[in-house]
Amino acid sequence: MQQISPVTAKFPASARPRVGLFVTCLVDLMRPSIGFAAAQLIEQAGCSVDVPRGQTCCGQPGWNSGDRATAATLARQTITAFEPYDYVVAPSGSCAGMIKRHYVEVFVSDAAWRARAERLAAKTYELMAFLVDVRSMSSVDVQWPATATYHDSCSGLRELGVRRQPRQLLATVEGLTLVDLPDADSCCGFGGTFAIKYPDISNKIVEAKTAAIASTNADLLIAGDLGCLLNMAGKLAREGKDTAVRHVAEVLAGMHDIPAIGRTHSEVPQ
Amino acid sequence: MKITTDTFKDNARGALVNPGLQQSMAGVKRYYVPARATAMAKLPEFDALRDQARDIKNHTLEHLDLYLEEFERKVVENGGKVHWATTAAEARGAILDICQAAGAKIITKGKSMVSEEIALNAHLESAGLSVVETDLGEYIIQLRHETPSHIIAPAVHLTRADVVETFTKAHPHLPADRPMDTPEVLVAEARGILREKFLAADVGITGANFLIAETGSTVIVTNEGNGDLTQSLPKVHVVLATIEKIVPTLEDATAILRVLARSATGQEMSNYTTFSTGPKRPDDPDGPEAFHVVILDGGRSELIGTELQDSLRCIRCGACMNHCPVYQAIGGHAYGWVYPGPIGAVMTPTHLGVEKAGHLPNASTFCGRCEEVCPMRIPLPRMMRHFREEEFKLGKQSGLPKLALRLWAWAAARPALYHFGARLGVGALKVWGMGRGRLTTLPLAGGWTAHRDLAVPEGGTFQAQWAAGKRPIAAKAASPGTSESRAA
């Protein structure tokens, strides 16, 4: 008889919610491992994971640039691809926030699409919030000896209330010591197109962030949004600092074998 | 004042490399942010009070005409006079008329951002009047011919060395070897000079944090008491305020006062909170003989019923800019007009137009900290995004970022093409990376790589790998100690 995994036994197929994974454009292009980590964690939480092909981008870059038409096109595309699922989960507070908080604003003058946006918003979650608040995940079975510090990405924190959940799960990682990051809730300076349009100001803001990170003497910086992570990792590397940078999903999924962001296998231990 | 909103990027660049300014801005962050947090922590009902404050203002804005007219009735009843000004020019004119009718030579002023907005001082000075700012920060910047860089701490951009230099030049009648090495002696020096001005003034002009319809009172909050001496010593007191400062009752004013100082400086109340209700009464020992309230619209009534109505709830506490990473980085002058920080990023395009002031709502990461700390719960990022949309409709945005976004939008709406193109792009970047983990330069990405390295993509897109059948490793039990026994 086929060996039944504990998860499958606890959550037989009929009881497993179907999650549509919104992988996010940055994860899709820059660091697919985060997507696999997210899928792994969602399955661990007793759900089945599907990745609808019709997804590309949540539309936030267009929305934040004032291009409502593009935002609406991509929102309609996203809603259509994901509305068949029980839940929509994204490893990003920024993208989850766009879907959950802003899609209804995109369709301010289209009642039909606004209703569909509302329905999708109700079942859309950032990954950590989904695991802890919806699926009651209380721990992970992972070892990761390191001193780490956690940065709260702005959208996840302020739009979705993600703060306690990642710290709760990270606290159960064996060997991982979490040190408070001073001004953890201060912006890293990425802000999407802001980092490109106002690079000098963005640089000043991320300098303050890397100084705070350095003050913790942490080996590892963890956060829940790849945009922030790429920004902070890029600055830390340019400053010659040796703090490794990872997405919280990678750590909780125990992905030791992929190098930290911006690193290769041959570089310093991570 | 000279408007420099269109050279925002150059303004910011200069600010970023100005060591004195950077030192001062570090001080702003170090002081004001924890101060508010501490005050908040001491008051369990703080968030409920913010809801109440927002509701009071919302109600008032829905019935603005009613309350303004009641206010005037009460002011007149108390022996004062209200002057309605639709435009800045009318407000300036009304105030100059009052001063000239009083035969005034010397005018003292309490701090008023509206007076900056209408460029009042220059107008009065061009008519031969002497205008003295009495708020210490305003006094200092007046001597330096500068404008305020913060809405409650106008000289916050200056260091003590700047003040010493300014006082040395501006007070030549004082002994050159006098002590100037501590804040206390500098304050005492300013106090001595301003005291004479207070006593000599013919007209005192103040702003108003609140106009109260119930009693016809105006309210100012100061930490120095300069507003009190400005308004009670001269024969004439002129209050300059804008229409949205009105609240219905005394209790409404005090409800909002509970969140004002806490949000601004972390104080429970500012040192002086002064209610003025008309001119001196016959039995009063002191006070002005005439009480005038100049109420300016300045384009504000047009905002009611629009996307920007909520900005009229602002009580000018400064919390938004204290907590803003952009303001902390560049200070207030870079914003180029009267109001800096997040509220400035909304008010400036409102008053000057998005074509002239487009940089301000664009220079934001939308971190949301401003909205989070605003005692009046103003949705500042939403209004900044509204201006970005206005700008987009005008077709004003240009350059590489816009082109890149258009290309992105086009591709993202075509998933199959997007996935294909993404694989190619990622592959190309990996090849370009030549086995390195990160790049220090990349064509077209100079904005990023000037200051940061760029991680090379991992390789292969997630979608491609998933479509090819790659799946996460078999899940282990999520929580040890859950019902694994069922598997046995």
Side-chain angles (χ1 to χ4, degrees), chain A residues 178-251:
Chain A
L178 212 50
V179 177
D180 276 347
L181 176 64
D183 298 328
D185 59 356
S186 280
C187 187
C188 75
F190 176 62
T193 51
F194 175 83
I196 309 296
K197 286 160 77 175
Y198 299 96
D200 297 338
I201 307 177
S202 173
N203 179 52
K204 185 78 194 182
I205 299 171
V206 75
E207 269 177 3
K209 179 60 65 173
T210 55
I213 294 165
S215 78
T216 65
N217 289 314
D219 311 312
L220 179 60
L221 169 69
I222 307 174
D225 259 82
L226 188 53
C228 309
L229 290 163
L230 288 170
N231 182 43
M232 295 184 291
K235 190 63 187 175
L236 285 165
R238 182 61 61 92
E239 290 176 335
K241 299 202 166 79
D242 59 11
T243 319
V245 180
R246 289 181 180 276
H247 191 283
V248 61
E250 300 170 40
V251 176

Side-chain angles (χ1 to χ4, degrees), chain B residues 189-201 224 229 233:
Chain B
E189 182 169 321
R191 191 167 178 260
I193 291 179
L194 289 172
R195 191 63 60 154
E196 292 176 31
K197 305 290 184 189
F198 284 129
L199 293 166
E224 298 162 27
L229 292 179
L233 293 179

